[in-house]
Structures are given as C-alpha cells and as structure tokens.
Amino acid sequence: MRRFARAALLCLGCGVCWLLYGLGQLALSLEQEPGGGRERQARDPAAPGARRQGGGGWAAAGSTGRGEAGAGRYKNLSVSFWNSYWMLPSDVCGMNCFWEAAFRYNYMKTHPSEKMHLAVVACGERLEETVTMLRSAIIFSIKPLQFHIFAEDQLHKSFKDILDDFPYEGRVNYTLYPITFPTESAAEWKKLFKPCASQRLFLPLILKNVDSLLYVDTDILFLRPVDDIWSFLGKFNSTQIAAMAPEHEEPRIGWYNRFARHPYYGVTGINSGVMLMNMTRIRRKYFKNDMTPVRLQWGEILMPLLKKYKLNITWGDQDLLNIMFFHNPESLYVFPCQWNYRPDHCIYGSNCKEAEEEGIFILHGNRGVYHDDKQPTFRAVYEAIKNYSFGDDLVHSLLQPLELELQKTMHTYCGRVYKMFIKQLTKSIRHLYARRSKGR
C-alpha cells in the first residue's frame, strides 16, 4: 500500500511538471511568430565558434574608447530589468526558463518599467538639436528617464558639460556611448544615409541589458510626457515588437508608394524617427525575409539586407526597417500621426486628422526646418523650447511667447493650423502644474 502511495505521488508530481512545462511552451510560442517549421536554437554570437554580425567583431567609428557600450563584447543575451536569470535564452538555462515566458508577458502588461529608456544618435552638428530634444523630454515627463546618447567622441565633453548642469538630479540619468558598428562593415554602415543614422539598427545588440527603449531622432520635440508614448508598450499584443507611425497619411503625396524600389510596410511605409522597441522580443524573434527560407535573428539579418538592397534604398536604415516589417507585419504596432508630426503633415495642407482633433504630441522637424525659414511654425516651437530656462514659469516664459510667434506664421500652410502646435502643449503645462499642486 505504501509503495502504491509513493508511485501515485510520483505520477502526480510528474503530471504537474509536464503541465507547467506545457504552459511555459505555450506562452513562449506567443512570443515567437507561429508556424513555418521548427525555430533554430538561439545562439550566442559572442560564444566561441559562433558567427557574428558583419563577419566579425565591432568597431567604434571614429573612437578608440570603449565607453559603456562595451564594443567588441556584445553577447546578445536578453536580460530582464527584474530577474536576469529568467531572461537567459533557452539553450543557456534549459527547461528552468519555461517560467519566464509565462510570467513576463502578463507582468509587462501590468508592471511597466519604472525607468523609461530613451536613445538618440548624434553626429556632426547635432549637439544643440539633441540637447533641445532632451530638454523637451525632461520638462513634462513623470517617471525617471535614462538617456542613452550615442555620439562621436568630439561631442562627448560638450554633452557632459551641458547635461551635468541640468537641475533634475536623480530623476534624469544619462550614459554616453561611442559610435559602434560591426568591424568589417563599419565604414559602410556609418555612411549609410546620414552620418551615424544606422546606429539605431544595432541598439538591440549593444544595449543588451535594456528591456524596452524609445529611439528618437535628434530633431524630435516632446509636447507631452514621454510616459504617454511609453505606455504603448503595454498595448502590444503577443507578436508585436516595435511601434512606429506611418510615413504619410495621404497616398497621393506619399514617397514609398510612388517611388520606392523595395518592399515597404503598409500603404505608405513607416517613419523611423520615433521608434518604440521591446528589445527583449526583438532579440528573440526569428524574422521572415526574402533572402532565405530560414528565418533570421536581428543580428543575422541586417548585413544581408544591406547587401541585397543597398543600390535601391534612399532613406538608409528607415528603408531597411520598412523591408523587415513588410515581411513581418504582425510584429509592428502602428501609432497615429500626432505622435510623429512632420512638415509633410501640413505643408501641402493639413492631413493628420488626429492632430487636428487632439493637437500634436511629438513634433518631428525633419527637412532641417528648425534651422531655416521655410517652415517658421516648426522653428518657433524649437526656439521656444531651446530658450526656456528650467524652473521658469511655463505659461509666461514658454507658452505665451510661443503663441505670439506662431501667429506671425499664418502666411504658411502650417501656420494656418498653428493652434495644433500648442493645443497639447497647453494641456501638458496645465497637467504639470496640477501634479505639482498635489505634491507629485
């Protein structure tokens, strides 16, 4: 009888273990793209004998320093902000990892990271523009910010001198990194489109300990808290790994649908100037592609894509992202145009209806509009935020002077809808003062 009881208890224990294992595998399948055959076992590109992106190693473009990026030692291991062991790939920690996939998906839905990570790449004459972007992020944001600034060596001291004077110690931190590309193709990647712009493609491999990240171009201005776009991470379904806005709202003036010589996402393509990334999922995913029937991971697909399409792409890394999400559309979350509002949305007439209704949330001054007189509406917003002094009254020192300047731009198409440029800004200032009055 005692033997029978032991055997029954053993069977029950085995059954529970197999049930938990099955649930773990089911949850893991939600993280990966289903179907299409068995996925290859994850590999550590830094392990002996493993093939590295670009054929070998990494190089700091124009820099001999290591910085915190750890050039040349990227292991591509997903590390969670809450338990590094649970985030190791299955071939490293084996069956014990089945817990991670089951818990992480629901955890991220209800417990977003307390610190928001924001990355930017600055090369050439982009120091002032980048600092102005960082200022706009700081003004309204609620949760702490961690800036990851990738810049040429000669800009590091200037960044440090400026950022160390920011008054929000403890709530804002930053790390400076050198520009780093795979060694054998560093020159090719650096000159793709604008200097250093393609650095963003390698962020999931460089910032291997960062779970989620908001990448923005230097010419971005936040008109509401970063917290609000960060919250989109909680809206991702089980297959989505990144979020971007459409390149155009109106196909008749769209660039991709009229001129592109390569695949692109959706009807008018996507713009990568504001890109929200679940980097853990990016590092894990195996991507469908048009180069091989075998699905490739992020670090494996970049160089083959560049080799195949480099003679057909105009906008560099943004085109490569369009190609990737053309083949993997289920992996992209698309947010509305007011989260990436550009001159194209008003210079031919207003064509971002969401901004007309709710105002502009994130302003993207591409085409160099912050620094010439072609679009004075955009320049007025940039100058107002650049010249604002932390601690001054936002209504009298920022909002009111800006509205007076915007009224002078009504001779342009963008100026005719200038109220869109301050509608959300007004709300953000009001909400900020409401939080302060409550001691938050």
Side-chain angles (χ1 to χ4, degrees), residues 165-215:
D165 283 339
F166 278 11
Y168 296 102
E169 184 177 357
R171 199 166 69 84
V172 177
N173 293 291
Y174 71 91
T175 305
L176 289 166
Y177 304 82
I179 300 299
T180 51
F181 293 111
T183 304
E184 292 187 359
S185 53
E188 192 169 10
W189 281 113
K190 186 174 183 180
K191 68 182 181 182
L192 183 66
F193 189 45
K194 294 181 180 179
C196 307
S198 59
Q199 177 74 83
R200 84 181 79 181
L201 295 176
F202 300 96
L203 297 182
L205 307 178
I206 297 172
L207 301 175
K208 59 183 181 295
N209 291 347
V210 176
D211 182 83
S212 297
L213 182 76
L214 175 63
Y215 167 85

